[in-house]
Amino acid sequence: MADVDFRQGAYPVSGPGTTNLADILERVLDKGIVIAGDIKIDLLDIELLTIRLRLFVASVDTAKKAGIDWWETDPALSSRAARSALQDENRELRERLKALESRTDDESAPAAAKEDRGT
Amino acid sequence: MTERGPEPSDAKATYVFAVCRNPDPAVVAGLPGVTDEAAVGTLPLGTLTAIVQPVRAGDFTDEAWQARLSDQRELERYARAHHEVVAAAAACCPTVPLPMATLYHGEERAREALAREADRFHAALGRIAHHAEWGVKVYAPACPPNDTDRTPNRRTTPADRSRPAPGAGLAYLDRKRGLQERRERRQDEALRTAEAVDAEVRGLATASRRLRPHGPQAAGDRRVQILNATYLVAEHRADEFALLARTLRKRTGADIELSGPWVPYSFVGEV
């Protein structure tokens, strides 16, 4: 698309004429005032916020090519549910590991005691 | 997510680009916007005006967006189209940009939802009046070439490789340690530079925001980005700002890139 050099009037904030895609994406995807949340700003019953988040997901690969990957570590954009699921899984795994370790301890301890007695 | 019934394919939706104060309708009227089926126009909201475009709802569903945005050319087309309308509006009047893909069922729905947020729009307009946004990206100074290149294969003739001199292992470890230390020192320096630049620029700006630095670009940009920040700068300080950037470039030796002036996208929401 051709970059238009907008007339510089009383509000010279038209944005740079030639800008790289990363700069634009960073602003039009992530910024601008967001009217969402309590109001159902919806297209076909989808909350706007949902559209935004899905839009991010969809554009990860392409935007990465443009040099943007901030959302990968942005807590607001990584699902909290997913994170707590990971934490839960971690906790569960730790507990299972502990259980296994204590069981092997129990098993090896008597064996060692037996060997002691044998010698 | 709610499953919805089949939509008539010609159902209309309203795409909103921005909310402004007293725009000149002629300024946005000729722009292509995000679809070529209808013109970009204005929607009065009391004392404010929204810049809108009627679109076909079927073209802007969740699925449509996903397909569209998996394609970098399409993503770019839409992002630039959105930005172009926002920028055109901002060039003629105080403007609050909305994020890409802000859609309503129709004009009535848009009017109702946006009018309810009038206070936020007015507050945002007040905050950004006579200000522009400037992006600042700082790249680490290129590392001196003799730092990494010389040391490794200094004495690797075949004879050396088969029969290492006494103490060669230790020397190797020392070299490795030296490299590691130098790398860490460079990293620390780069971070300090980034902080220093940010601190100085912040001193001149009305507000600032740190963005996540971009990763190494697939396009072959091997520079390491150490600061990606954006600043709200008063119009009358723009020259000062540019001068400061030049001074900092000279002083730190770092690559400092400015982008702007932007419509203050990053400073219209809840900061």
Side-chain angles (χ1 to χ4, degrees), chain A residues 11, chain B residues 18-24 45-51 89-90 92-96 118-130:
Chain A
Y11 304 92
Chain B
V19 172
C20 331
R21 203 180 276 153
N22 304 320
D24 174 2
L45 310 164
T47 52
L48 298 170
T49 307
I51 307 293
C92 80
C93 68
T95 297
V96 176
D119 289 350
R120 280 175 71 197
F121 289 121
H122 283 296
L125 285 169
R127 202 180 308 135
I128 62 173
H130 305 294

Side-chain angles (χ1 to χ4, degrees), chain B residues 156-177:
Chain B
T156 41
T157 58
D160 282 335
R161 226 178 284 140
S162 60
R163 208 170 345 100
L170 205 59
Y172 171 79
L173 287 177
D174 274 347
R175 276 204 303 277
K176 279 286 174 204
R177 203 172 299 134

Side-chain angles (χ1 to χ4, degrees), chain B residues 125-211:
Chain B
L125 285 169
R127 202 180 308 135
I128 62 173
H130 305 294
H131 280 75
E133 176 174 341
W134 288 86
V136 174
K137 293 193 176 78
V138 182
Y139 298 88
C143 48
N146 60 355
D147 224 21
T148 44
D149 294 351
R150 225 172 39 192
T151 31
N153 48 7
R154 206 172 33 183
R155 323 184 301 164
T156 41
T157 58
D160 282 335
R161 226 178 284 140
S162 60
R163 208 170 345 100
L170 205 59
Y172 171 79
L173 287 177
D174 274 347
R175 276 204 303 277
K176 279 286 174 204
R177 203 172 299 134
L179 273 181
Q180 176 71 16
E181 273 165 14
R182 276 199 293 279
R183 198 176 304 134
E184 274 169 15
R185 209 176 318 130
R186 266 206 309 276
Q187 252 164 27
D188 285 349
E189 272 165 26
L191 287 179
R192 268 200 303 276
T193 305
E195 292 309 320
V197 170
D198 181 46
E200 294 242 14
V201 178
R202 253 194 341 244
L204 205 149
T206 307
S208 74
R209 244 181 198 191
R210 294 283 280 264
L211 309 175

Side-chain angles (χ1 to χ4, degrees), chain A residues 94-104:
Chain A
R94 250 185 246 119
E95 277 165 10
R96 283 174 61 184
L97 187 64
K98 209 191 281 169
L100 278 171
E101 275 173 354
S102 67
R103 205 185 308 156
T104 49

Side-chain angles (χ1 to χ4, degrees), chain A residues 14-15 23 26 28 34 40 67, chain B residues 62 87 100 109 120 137 214 261:
Chain A
S14 59
D23 282 338
E26 210 154 51
V28 304
V34 182
K40 282 259 194 263
Chain B
D62 214 13
M100 187 156 97
R109 185 88 188 88
R120 280 175 71 197
K137 293 193 176 78
H214 296 174

